[in-house]
PDB file of all heavy atoms in Angstrom:
ATOM      1  N   GLN A  49     100.372 115.625 120.341  1.00 93.00           N
ATOM      2  CA  GLN A  49      99.713 116.357 119.158  1.00 93.00           C
ATOM      3  C   GLN A  49     100.437 115.901 117.868  1.00 93.00           C
ATOM      4  O   GLN A  49      99.809 115.649 116.865  1.00 93.00           O
ATOM      5  CB  GLN A  49      99.846 117.793 119.393  1.00 93.00           C
ATOM      6  CG  GLN A  49     101.274 118.341 119.330  1.00 93.00           C
ATOM      7  CD  GLN A  49     101.311 119.846 119.581  1.00 93.00           C
ATOM      8  OE1 GLN A  49     100.291 120.473 119.455  1.00 93.00           O
ATOM      9  NE2 GLN A  49     102.526 120.414 119.782  1.00 93.00           N
ATOM     10  N   TYR A  50     101.760 115.682 117.944  1.00 95.00           N
ATOM     11  CA  TYR A  50     102.461 115.236 116.742  1.00 95.00           C
ATOM     12  C   TYR A  50     102.121 113.808 116.394  1.00 95.00           C
ATOM     13  O   TYR A  50     102.001 113.424 115.202  1.00 95.00           O
ATOM     14  CB  TYR A  50     104.088 115.337 116.982  1.00 95.00           C
ATOM     15  CG  TYR A  50     104.422 116.824 117.112  1.00 95.00           C
ATOM     16  CD1 TYR A  50     105.002 117.282 118.340  1.00 95.00           C
ATOM     17  CD2 TYR A  50     104.183 117.766 116.165  1.00 95.00           C
ATOM     18  CE1 TYR A  50     105.344 118.579 118.520  1.00 95.00           C
ATOM     19  CE2 TYR A  50     104.620 119.025 116.288  1.00 95.00           C
ATOM     20  CZ  TYR A  50     105.180 119.481 117.532  1.00 95.00           C
ATOM     21  OH  TYR A  50     105.466 120.738 117.708  1.00 95.00           O
ATOM     22  N   GLN A  51     101.865 112.952 117.426  1.00 96.00           N
ATOM     23  CA  GLN A  51     101.472 111.587 117.154  1.00 96.00           C
ATOM     24  C   GLN A  51     100.081 111.557 116.553  1.00 96.00           C
ATOM     25  O   GLN A  51      99.834 110.694 115.691  1.00 96.00           O
ATOM     26  CB  GLN A  51     101.474 110.758 118.519  1.00 96.00           C
ATOM     27  CG  GLN A  51     102.937 110.629 119.083  1.00 96.00           C
ATOM     28  CD  GLN A  51     102.823 110.000 120.455  1.00 96.00           C
ATOM     29  OE1 GLN A  51     101.906 110.256 121.196  1.00 96.00           O
ATOM     30  NE2 GLN A  51     103.883 109.271 120.823  1.00 96.00           N
ATOM     31  N   GLN A  52      99.278 112.422 116.975  1.00 95.00           N
ATOM     32  CA  GLN A  52      97.831 112.422 116.334  1.00 95.00           C
ATOM     33  C   GLN A  52      97.932 112.909 114.875  1.00 95.00           C
ATOM     34  O   GLN A  52      97.342 112.320 114.074  1.00 95.00           O
ATOM     35  CB  GLN A  52      96.939 113.451 117.124  1.00 95.00           C
ATOM     36  CG  GLN A  52      96.615 112.935 118.481  1.00 95.00           C
ATOM     37  CD  GLN A  52      95.972 113.956 119.363  1.00 95.00           C
ATOM     38  OE1 GLN A  52      96.006 115.111 119.151  1.00 95.00           O
ATOM     39  NE2 GLN A  52      95.223 113.520 120.433  1.00 95.00           N
ATOM     40  N   ILE A  53      98.738 113.900 114.553  1.00 95.00           N
ATOM     41  CA  ILE A  53      98.931 114.328 113.181  1.00 95.00           C
ATOM     42  C   ILE A  53      99.560 113.228 112.290  1.00 95.00           C
ATOM     43  O   ILE A  53      99.134 112.851 111.257  1.00 95.00           O
ATOM     44  CB  ILE A  53      99.785 115.525 113.096  1.00 95.00           C
ATOM     45  CG1 ILE A  53      99.068 116.673 113.789  1.00 95.00           C
ATOM     46  CG2 ILE A  53     100.098 115.901 111.607  1.00 95.00           C
ATOM     47  CD1 ILE A  53      99.905 118.026 113.936  1.00 95.00           C
ATOM     48  N   LEU A  54     100.547 112.527 112.904  1.00 96.00           N
ATOM     49  CA  LEU A  54     101.211 111.433 112.185  1.00 96.00           C
ATOM     50  C   LEU A  54     100.171 110.223 111.883  1.00 96.00           C
ATOM     51  O   LEU A  54     100.173 109.741 110.909  1.00 96.00           O
ATOM     52  CB  LEU A  54     102.409 110.908 113.014  1.00 96.00           C
ATOM     53  CG  LEU A  54     103.111 109.707 112.460  1.00 96.00           C
ATOM     54  CD1 LEU A  54     103.755 110.056 111.143  1.00 96.00           C
ATOM     55  CD2 LEU A  54     104.174 109.243 113.416  1.00 96.00           C
ATOM     56  N   HIS A  55      99.433 109.972 112.950  1.00 96.00           N
ATOM     57  CA  HIS A  55      98.456 108.952 112.806  1.00 96.00           C
ATOM     58  C   HIS A  55      97.423 109.313 111.693  1.00 96.00           C
ATOM     59  O   HIS A  55      97.156 108.367 110.797  1.00 96.00           O
ATOM     60  CB  HIS A  55      97.628 108.694 114.043  1.00 96.00           C
ATOM     61  CG  HIS A  55      96.608 107.675 113.991  1.00 96.00           C
ATOM     62  ND1 HIS A  55      95.257 108.058 113.728  1.00 96.00           N
ATOM     63  CD2 HIS A  55      96.585 106.354 114.016  1.00 96.00           C
ATOM     64  CE1 HIS A  55      94.553 106.889 113.753  1.00 96.00           C
ATOM     65  NE2 HIS A  55      95.345 105.938 113.948  1.00 96.00           N
ATOM     66  N   ARG A  56      96.973 110.505 111.648  1.00 94.00           N
ATOM     67  CA  ARG A  56      95.972 110.930 110.633  1.00 94.00           C
ATOM     68  C   ARG A  56      96.615 110.877 109.222  1.00 94.00           C
ATOM     69  O   ARG A  56      95.973 110.388 108.254  1.00 94.00           O
ATOM     70  CB  ARG A  56      95.545 112.392 110.901  1.00 94.00           C
ATOM     71  CG  ARG A  56      94.471 112.830 110.016  1.00 94.00           C
ATOM     72  CD  ARG A  56      94.294 114.340 109.976  1.00 94.00           C
ATOM     73  NE  ARG A  56      95.583 114.965 109.551  1.00 94.00           N
ATOM     74  CZ  ARG A  56      96.169 115.895 110.294  1.00 94.00           C
ATOM     75  NH1 ARG A  56      95.620 116.380 111.307  1.00 94.00           N
ATOM     76  NH2 ARG A  56      97.326 116.445 109.845  1.00 94.00           N
ATOM     77  N   ASN A  57      97.941 111.329 109.193  1.00 93.00           N
ATOM     78  CA  ASN A  57      98.573 111.238 107.812  1.00 93.00           C
ATOM     79  C   ASN A  57      98.737 109.756 107.337  1.00 93.00           C
ATOM     80  O   ASN A  57      98.530 109.486 106.240  1.00 93.00           O
ATOM     81  CB  ASN A  57      99.971 111.865 107.879  1.00 93.00           C
ATOM     82  CG  ASN A  57      99.905 113.420 107.963  1.00 93.00           C
ATOM     83  OD1 ASN A  57      98.839 113.971 107.907  1.00 93.00           O
ATOM     84  ND2 ASN A  57     101.123 114.006 108.189  1.00 93.00           N
ATOM     85  N   ILE A  58      99.093 108.882 108.275  1.00 94.00           N
ATOM     86  CA  ILE A  58      99.276 107.503 107.935  1.00 94.00           C
ATOM     87  C   ILE A  58      97.952 106.806 107.463  1.00 94.00           C
ATOM     88  O   ILE A  58      97.909 106.107 106.428  1.00 94.00           O
ATOM     89  CB  ILE A  58      99.952 106.723 109.047  1.00 94.00           C
ATOM     90  CG1 ILE A  58     101.392 107.115 109.261  1.00 94.00           C
ATOM     91  CG2 ILE A  58      99.858 105.147 108.771  1.00 94.00           C
ATOM     92  CD1 ILE A  58     102.032 106.549 110.475  1.00 94.00           C
ATOM     93  N   VAL A  59      96.879 107.162 108.201  1.00 92.00           N
ATOM     94  CA  VAL A  59      95.582 106.609 107.832  1.00 92.00           C
ATOM     95  C   VAL A  59      95.218 107.129 106.395  1.00 92.00           C
ATOM     96  O   VAL A  59      94.604 106.439 105.570  1.00 92.00           O
ATOM     97  CB  VAL A  59      94.469 107.002 108.777  1.00 92.00           C
ATOM     98  CG1 VAL A  59      93.100 106.711 108.478  1.00 92.00           C
ATOM     99  CG2 VAL A  59      94.834 106.264 110.166  1.00 92.00           C
ATOM    100  N   TYR A  60      95.440 108.452 106.145  1.00 90.00           N
ATOM    101  CA  TYR A  60      95.162 109.134 104.928  1.00 90.00           C
ATOM    102  C   TYR A  60      95.874 108.331 103.761  1.00 90.00           C
ATOM    103  O   TYR A  60      95.426 108.070 102.750  1.00 90.00           O
ATOM    104  CB  TYR A  60      95.451 110.552 104.952  1.00 90.00           C
ATOM    105  CG  TYR A  60      95.138 111.317 103.705  1.00 90.00           C
ATOM    106  CD1 TYR A  60      93.802 111.584 103.299  1.00 90.00           C
ATOM    107  CD2 TYR A  60      96.157 111.770 102.832  1.00 90.00           C
ATOM    108  CE1 TYR A  60      93.596 112.309 102.123  1.00 90.00           C
ATOM    109  CE2 TYR A  60      95.898 112.499 101.752  1.00 90.00           C
ATOM    110  CZ  TYR A  60      94.629 112.791 101.339  1.00 90.00           C
ATOM    111  OH  TYR A  60      94.277 113.437 100.221  1.00 90.00           O
ATOM    112  N   LEU A  61      97.212 108.199 104.011  1.00 91.00           N
ATOM    113  CA  LEU A  61      98.061 107.519 102.979  1.00 91.00           C
ATOM    114  C   LEU A  61      97.530 106.107 102.729  1.00 91.00           C
ATOM    115  O   LEU A  61      97.551 105.571 101.623  1.00 91.00           O
ATOM    116  CB  LEU A  61      99.509 107.538 103.421  1.00 91.00           C
ATOM    117  CG  LEU A  61     100.181 108.880 103.323  1.00 91.00           C
ATOM    118  CD1 LEU A  61     101.524 108.847 103.975  1.00 91.00           C
ATOM    119  CD2 LEU A  61     100.255 109.336 101.818  1.00 91.00           C
ATOM    120  N   ALA A  62      97.208 105.390 103.771  1.00 91.00           N
ATOM    121  CA  ALA A  62      96.686 104.021 103.632  1.00 91.00           C
ATOM    122  C   ALA A  62      95.407 104.004 102.881  1.00 91.00           C
ATOM    123  O   ALA A  62      95.159 103.095 102.030  1.00 91.00           O
ATOM    124  CB  ALA A  62      96.466 103.380 105.068  1.00 91.00           C
ATOM    125  N   THR A  63      94.555 104.937 103.065  1.00 87.00           N
ATOM    126  CA  THR A  63      93.236 105.090 102.306  1.00 87.00           C
ATOM    127  C   THR A  63      93.592 105.336 100.883  1.00 87.00           C
ATOM    128  O   THR A  63      92.963 104.580  99.984  1.00 87.00           O
ATOM    129  CB  THR A  63      92.430 106.250 102.888  1.00 87.00           C
ATOM    130  OG1 THR A  63      92.222 106.023 104.247  1.00 87.00           O
ATOM    131  CG2 THR A  63      91.149 106.382 102.232  1.00 87.00           C
ATOM    132  N   ILE A  64      94.508 106.155 100.571  1.00 84.00           N
ATOM    133  CA  ILE A  64      94.967 106.352  99.179  1.00 84.00           C
ATOM    134  C   ILE A  64      95.475 105.064  98.559  1.00 84.00           C
ATOM    135  O   ILE A  64      95.189 104.681  97.489  1.00 84.00           O
ATOM    136  CB  ILE A  64      95.971 107.464  99.084  1.00 84.00           C
ATOM    137  CG1 ILE A  64      95.390 108.889  99.533  1.00 84.00           C
ATOM    138  CG2 ILE A  64      96.542 107.624  97.635  1.00 84.00           C
ATOM    139  CD1 ILE A  64      96.428 109.937  99.678  1.00 84.00           C
ATOM    140  N   ALA A  65      96.358 104.410  99.322  1.00 86.00           N
ATOM    141  CA  ALA A  65      96.941 103.143  98.808  1.00 86.00           C
ATOM    142  C   ALA A  65      95.884 102.082  98.521  1.00 86.00           C
ATOM    143  O   ALA A  65      95.848 101.422  97.655  1.00 86.00           O
ATOM    144  CB  ALA A  65      97.960 102.598  99.835  1.00 86.00           C
ATOM    145  N   ASP A  66      94.839 101.999  99.572  1.00 85.00           N
ATOM    146  CA  ASP A  66      93.773 101.056  99.328  1.00 85.00           C
ATOM    147  C   ASP A  66      92.952 101.350  98.051  1.00 85.00           C
ATOM    148  O   ASP A  66      92.628 100.452  97.310  1.00 85.00           O
ATOM    149  CB  ASP A  66      92.896 100.976 100.497  1.00 85.00           C
ATOM    150  CG  ASP A  66      93.481 100.248 101.673  1.00 85.00           C
ATOM    151  OD1 ASP A  66      94.552  99.595 101.558  1.00 85.00           O
ATOM    152  OD2 ASP A  66      92.925 100.390 102.762  1.00 85.00           O
ATOM    153  N   ALA A  67      92.675 102.616  97.908  1.00 80.00           N
ATOM    154  CA  ALA A  67      91.886 102.997  96.727  1.00 80.00           C
ATOM    155  C   ALA A  67      92.653 102.784  95.529  1.00 80.00           C
ATOM    156  O   ALA A  67      91.938 102.357  94.437  1.00 80.00           O
ATOM    157  CB  ALA A  67      91.486 104.505  96.918  1.00 80.00           C
ATOM    158  N   SER A  68      93.904 103.055  95.479  1.00 77.00           N
ATOM    159  CA  SER A  68      94.622 102.812  94.222  1.00 77.00           C
ATOM    160  C   SER A  68      94.937 101.333  93.998  1.00 77.00           C
ATOM    161  O   SER A  68      95.185 100.967  92.757  1.00 77.00           O
ATOM    162  CB  SER A  68      95.972 103.649  94.267  1.00 77.00           C
ATOM    163  OG  SER A  68      96.914 103.156  95.191  1.00 77.00           O
ATOM    164  N   SER A  69      94.953 100.551  95.000  1.00 72.00           N
ATOM    165  CA  SER A  69      95.149  99.108  94.743  1.00 72.00           C
ATOM    166  C   SER A  69      93.956  98.423  94.008  1.00 72.00           C
ATOM    167  O   SER A  69      94.130  97.413  93.389  1.00 72.00           O
ATOM    168  CB  SER A  69      95.511  98.395  96.072  1.00 72.00           C
ATOM    169  OG  SER A  69      94.315  98.353  96.930  1.00 72.00           O
ATOM    170  N   ASP A  70      92.817  99.130  94.109  1.00 63.00           N
ATOM    171  CA  ASP A  70      91.636  98.643  93.350  1.00 63.00           C
ATOM    172  C   ASP A  70      91.813  98.843  91.867  1.00 63.00           C
ATOM    173  O   ASP A  70      91.200  98.100  91.044  1.00 63.00           O
ATOM    174  CB  ASP A  70      90.381  99.289  93.852  1.00 63.00           C
ATOM    175  CG  ASP A  70      90.014  98.976  95.272  1.00 63.00           C
ATOM    176  OD1 ASP A  70      90.525  97.955  95.770  1.00 63.00           O
ATOM    177  OD2 ASP A  70      89.287  99.781  95.914  1.00 63.00           O
ATOM    178  N   THR A  71      92.631  99.797  91.389  1.00 60.00           N
ATOM    179  CA  THR A  71      92.708 100.115  90.030  1.00 60.00           C
ATOM    180  C   THR A  71      94.047  99.694  89.448  1.00 60.00           C
ATOM    181  O   THR A  71      94.181  99.556  88.198  1.00 60.00           O
ATOM    182  CB  THR A  71      92.564 101.642  89.879  1.00 60.00           C
ATOM    183  OG1 THR A  71      93.646 102.243  90.522  1.00 60.00           O
ATOM    184  CG2 THR A  71      91.185 102.130  90.235  1.00 60.00           C
ATOM    185  N   THR A  72      95.074  99.417  90.231  1.00 54.00           N
ATOM    186  CA  THR A  72      96.403  99.065  89.709  1.00 54.00           C
ATOM    187  C   THR A  72      96.936  97.805  90.483  1.00 54.00           C
ATOM    188  O   THR A  72      96.663  97.702  91.652  1.00 54.00           O
ATOM    189  CB  THR A  72      97.410 100.151  89.813  1.00 54.00           C
ATOM    190  OG1 THR A  72      97.510 100.528  91.144  1.00 54.00           O
ATOM    191  CG2 THR A  72      97.087 101.462  89.006  1.00 54.00           C
ATOM    192  N   PRO A  73      97.537  96.926  89.769  1.00 54.00           N
ATOM    193  CA  PRO A  73      98.094  95.774  90.417  1.00 54.00           C
ATOM    194  C   PRO A  73      99.377  96.252  91.352  1.00 54.00           C
ATOM    195  O   PRO A  73     100.011  97.139  91.028  1.00 54.00           O
ATOM    196  CB  PRO A  73      98.733  94.931  89.181  1.00 54.00           C
ATOM    197  CG  PRO A  73      98.897  95.933  88.098  1.00 54.00           C
ATOM    198  CD  PRO A  73      97.904  96.961  88.233  1.00 54.00           C
TER     199      PRO A  73
END
Side-chain angles (χ1 to χ4, degrees):
Q49 65 182 350
Y50 297 117
Q51 291 171 330
Q52 291 171 339
I53 295 168
L54 178 62
H55 178 265
R56 186 198 57 233
N57 286 358
I58 291 171
V59 169
Y60 181 72
L61 287 169
T63 303
I64 293 169
D66 286 346
S68 68
S69 68
D70 293 339
T71 59
T72 59

